[in-house]
Amino acid sequence: NKLAPREMQVMVRIAHGEGTQQIADSLCISPKTVSTYRTRLFEKLDVSNDVELTLFAIRHQVIDPP
């Protein structure tokens, strides 16, 4: 199940530790939309929280490890 470009942007920002409001502001979308993307990412990637999402992003080389 491939991620949409916007889902990818949200995942990268979550993985870098940005908060919902910060992500919403930088992408010019509402915090509710960010939450919807987060829920969709959790379902698509079979993760249950931001930490697991970040580990997924590192494992799949979406972001570099800290």
Side-chain angles (χ1 to χ4, degrees), residues 17-56:
E18 291 185 26
T20 301
Q21 187 64 57
Q22 197 178 356
I23 296 169
D25 292 345
S26 64
L27 296 179
C28 299
I29 57 179
S30 77
K32 184 164 174 19
T33 304
V34 174
S35 296
T36 301
Y37 278 120
R38 176 182 270 114
T39 302
R40 209 178 300 156
L41 284 163
F42 285 6
E43 287 170 3
K44 279 189 174 185
L45 305 176
D46 195 29
V47 297
S48 54
N49 57 49
D50 288 356
V51 173
E52 288 180 13
L53 184 70
T54 303
L55 291 172
F56 179 95

